[in-house]
């Protein structure tokens, strides 16, 4: 596998060899072999997680004074990155340039981006903040892709100057790029995002390929396809097509059909151009995640296999590939651990009032049907709790009635001082904090749990202090509204 944006793909190749931990010992290293490997990896992950919870209590990461903490399983993240690379290595022709750009929004944490870069991944960014995070993590410009739907002229100019690949969203953005590229000494790879309008999945807010989606050029709208072909013929520097049509709730078959549509459009453009103008297809991310058990399914290998059946021409070496997976790389490797501050009953319903709620699992709290989370329970020493299952509410600390991580969930009866863990929260949860009630961002710690030896933690993000909350909340301008 060569690497898009790398001369000869050397960095990606080296990264593979710099990562001795990748997949070793864990079935996850072979996750590409299918769901049996996925289940084995899941069992290993559950053992590591229980050890990390115990160690978090013993090492004082969670306590009465620090009643919530987030944990990241480093070996799990490495294994997912390795599984992604292996899956596409297996289906692409030798020498096919491939860049796996992690969707930063899923886990905008600098050490996570650095870890993934060490595993051979780049970064997909969609705001000046995300671009800054990728740069702070040392992700090189030529391994970074900018995809925001509302890029300003200044953001576009910066991306071009840095050498970051840009995917334009719409005709007006292309017009801005016309002006900027005319003035630029060199132009990084630029693409156009298209929407094949194939329909959505089961979660409306996350379905990007609907008839009226806000993303990209809607290919089935009248005249849009011909306009798109012309847009490429008029712009020799436009060399990529971009689609991101998957997400949680979207079937793999629908994702693969979207990729096929984009591949066919690339073939049409190249035939019209009489040359291989479109040289790279950015197929986005969106692999769904299993939130129901520790088994990882579907796997990257499942999707890569489906692509090789649905769009064989995509993988025969004529096109470079960019992927942009987020949730599937991180979700299963994050755990929120929180203390039960109080255990009470209301209307005969047992309620555990914890420190984990809407601030760390925003989507689950506002849309519990689409985003159910698994909850596991531990006693105050961090040992798994047992006992008959009793329907309980797992409540968060925020001051509104709906701040529940789980409603009437059958679990061992929780008592004050016990711990609850919200599983599969490594993407779009604690890393994308919601500051309702001025609740502090919890600390995030990566852990390694070697078969022999103690669990070791590394600080990824320190817990937010109340001083920082005041500073972020206008604390420097207390009299601002009294003046004038
Ligand atoms: C959110 C997003 C991704 C990542 O999606 P996941 O579902 O987390 O894999 C990739 N590309 C674009 C353009 C996105 O908006």
């Amino acid at each position: 596998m060569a690497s898009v944006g790398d001369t000869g793909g050397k960095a990606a190749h080296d990264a593979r060899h710099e990562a001795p931990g990748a997949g070793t010992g864990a079935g996850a290293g072979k996750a590409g072999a299918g769901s049996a490997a996925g289940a084995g990896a899941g069992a290993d992950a559950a053992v590591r997680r229980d050890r990390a919870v115990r160690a978090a209590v013993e090492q004082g990461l969670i306590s009465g004074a620090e009643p919530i903490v987030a944990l990241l399983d480093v070996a799990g993240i490495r294994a997912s990155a390795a599984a992604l690379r292996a899956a596409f290595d297996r289906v692409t022709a030798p020498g096919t340039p491939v860049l796996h750009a992690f969707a930063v929004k899923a886990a905008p944490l600098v050490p996570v981006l650095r870890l993934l870069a060490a595993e051979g991944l780049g970064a997909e960014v969609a705001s000046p903040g995300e671009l800054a995070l990728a740069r702070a993590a040392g992700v090189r410009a030529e391994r970074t892709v900018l995809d925001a739907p509302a890029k300003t002229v200044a953001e576009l100019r910066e991306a071009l100057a840095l050498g970051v690949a840009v995917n334009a969203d719409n005709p007006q953005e292309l017009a801005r790029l016309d002006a900027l590229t005319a003035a630029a000494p060199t132009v990084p790879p630029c693409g156009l995002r298209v929407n094949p309008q194939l329909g959505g999945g089961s979660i409306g807010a996350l379905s990007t390929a609907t008839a009226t989606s806000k993303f990209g050029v809607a290919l089935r709208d009248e005249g849009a396809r011909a306009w798109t072909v012309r847009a490429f013929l008029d712009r020799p520097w436009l060399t990529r097509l971009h689609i991101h049509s998957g997400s949680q709730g979207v079937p793999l078959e629908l994702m693969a059909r979207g990729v096929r549509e984009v591949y066919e459009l690339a073939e049409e453009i190249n035939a019209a151009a009489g040359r291989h103008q479109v040289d790279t297809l950015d197929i986005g991310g969106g692999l769904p995640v299993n939130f129901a058990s520790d088994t990882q399914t579907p796997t990257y290998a499942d999707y890569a296999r489906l692509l090789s059946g649905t769009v064989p021409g995509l993988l025969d070496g004529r096109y470079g590939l960019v992927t942009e997976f987020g949730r599937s790389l991180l979700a299963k490797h994050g755990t929120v651990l929180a203390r039960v501050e109080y255990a009470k009953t209301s209307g005969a319903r047992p309620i555990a009032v914890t420190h984990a709620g809407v601030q760390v699992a925003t989507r689950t709290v506002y849309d519990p049907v689409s985003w159910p989370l698994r909850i596991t329970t531990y006693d105050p020493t961090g040992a798994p709790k047992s006992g008959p299952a009793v329907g309980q509410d797992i409540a968060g600390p925020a001051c509104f009635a709906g701040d529940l991580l789980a409603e009437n969930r059958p679990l061992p009866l929780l008592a004050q001082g016990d711990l609850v863990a919200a599983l599969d929260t490594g993407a779009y949860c604690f890393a994308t904090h919601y500051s309702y009630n001025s609740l502090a961002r919890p600390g995030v710690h990566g852990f390694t749990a070697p078969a022999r030896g103690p669990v070791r933690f590394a600080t990824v993000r320190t817990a937010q202090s109340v001083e920082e909350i005041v500073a972020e909340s206008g604390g420097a301008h207390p009299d601002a509204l009294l003046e004038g």
Side-chain angles (χ1 to χ4, degrees):
M1 179 188 84
S3 178
V4 170
D6 262 317
T7 37
K10 184 165 184 318
H13 177 79
D14 288 351
R16 221 173 304 160
H17 293 276
E18 277 163 20
T24 46
K30 299 178 226 87
S35 37
D44 291 351
V47 170
R48 287 197 300 271
R49 185 172 62 228
D50 281 351
R51 287 184 59 204
V53 168
R54 182 62 159 257
V57 173
E58 287 170 358
Q59 298 182 32
L61 257 49
I62 187 156
S63 63
E66 189 124 4
I68 177 168
V69 70
L71 306 176
L72 281 170
D73 177 356
V74 175
I77 297 170
R78 283 192 190 275
S80 285
L84 170 60
R85 290 196 322 260
F88 281 83
D89 275 355
R90 212 168 290 126
V91 298
T92 48
T96 303
V98 180
L99 171 65
H100 296 296
F102 172 65
V104 170
K105 75 174 185 280
L109 297 164
V110 171
V112 168
L113 306 183
R114 183 77 151 235
L115 171 65
L116 291 172
E119 284 291 335
L121 274 59
E124 184 267 349
V125 300
S127 71
E130 289 182 358
L131 176 56
L133 295 180
R135 296 184 71 196
V139 180
R140 285 181 293 133
E142 58 281 20
R143 302 185 62 75
T144 304
V145 180
L146 174 65
D147 280 346
K151 308 173 198 79
T152 64
V153 172
E155 285 169 55
L156 290 169
R157 188 181 292 118
E158 186 192 13
L160 296 187
L162 290 170
V164 166
V166 175
N167 285 317
D169 179 83
N170 60 64
Q172 292 179 350
E173 192 180 337
L174 270 190
R176 287 182 170 178
L177 284 173
D178 283 337
L180 292 168
T181 55
T186 58
V187 180
C190 291
L192 179 66
R193 180 165 181 172
V194 295
N195 168 16
Q197 292 164 294
L198 292 178
S202 62
I203 306 176
L206 268 72
S207 295
T208 57
T210 57
T212 58
S213 162
K214 74 169 181 175
F215 294 113
V217 173
L219 275 185
R220 286 171 195 233
D221 284 9
E222 197 175 336
R225 195 176 180 95
W227 177 87
T228 302
V229 174
R230 190 74 247 163
F232 275 81
L233 299 184
D234 290 345
R235 293 174 180 81
W237 47 267
L238 200 54
T239 56
R240 294 182 172 187
L241 277 167
H242 175 218
I243 179 176
H244 169 65
S245 65
S247 194
Q248 194 65 22
V250 176
L252 293 192
E253 290 71 21
L254 195 62
M255 290 168 61
R257 285 223 312 275
V259 173
R260 187 175 65 201
E261 296 254 340
V262 171
Y263 165 77
E264 285 165 357
L265 178 60
E267 295 278 282
E268 183 180 335
I269 291 167
N270 288 344
R275 67 191 185 97
H276 199 60
Q277 178 174 346
V278 178
D279 61 14
T280 298
L281 297 185
D282 181 337
I283 64 171
L287 193 78
V289 164
N290 169 20
F291 286 100
S293 79
D294 276 312
T295 305
Q296 294 187 28
T297 172
T299 62
Y300 292 117
D302 294 335
Y303 184 47
R305 237 187 334 262
L306 180 65
L307 282 176
S308 72
T310 312
V311 213
L314 172 71
L315 309 168
D316 65 13
R318 288 175 302 136
Y319 289 97
L321 272 186
V322 177
T323 73
E324 305 173 341
F325 294 100
R327 179 176 291 108
S328 52
L329 280 161
L330 257 295
K332 301 215 67 80
H333 311 308
T335 301
V336 172
L337 188 62
R339 270 171 60 101
V340 177
E341 195 67 48
Y342 300 106
K344 59 193 275 190
T345 59
S346 178
R349 170 79 54 83
I351 302 171
V353 180
T354 81
H355 288 274
V358 73
Q359 87 279 30
V360 289
T362 314
R363 281 179 168 156
T364 296
V365 167
Y366 286 128
D367 184 1
V369 173
S370 299
W371 301 103
L373 282 178
R374 291 185 295 148
I375 306 284
T376 54
T377 59
Y378 302 86
D379 72 17
T381 71
K385 257 180 103 81
S386 52
V390 179
Q392 288 163 88
D393 287 358
I394 307 301
C399 298
F400 68 99
D403 186 27
L404 305 172
L405 287 193
E407 214 177 332
N408 202 14
R409 181 75 59 88
L411 292 167
L413 188 63
L414 286 156
Q416 192 171 33
D418 282 343
L419 302 170
V420 297
L423 310 188
D424 308 326
T425 48
Y428 303 104
C429 288
F430 57 79
T432 50
H433 183 86
Y434 175 54
S435 61
Y436 195 95
N437 269 147
S438 300
L439 288 161
R441 286 188 285 270
V444 179
H445 302 268
F447 68 83
T448 47
R452 268 179 283 280
V455 174
R456 290 177 46 187
F457 292 102
T459 303
V460 171
R461 179 181 80 189
T462 49
Q464 191 180 28
S465 68
V466 289
E467 291 76 18
E468 287 169 320
I469 292 174
V470 172
E472 284 182 16
S473 307
H477 322 287
D479 294 332
L481 303 180
L482 301 178
E483 288 158 6

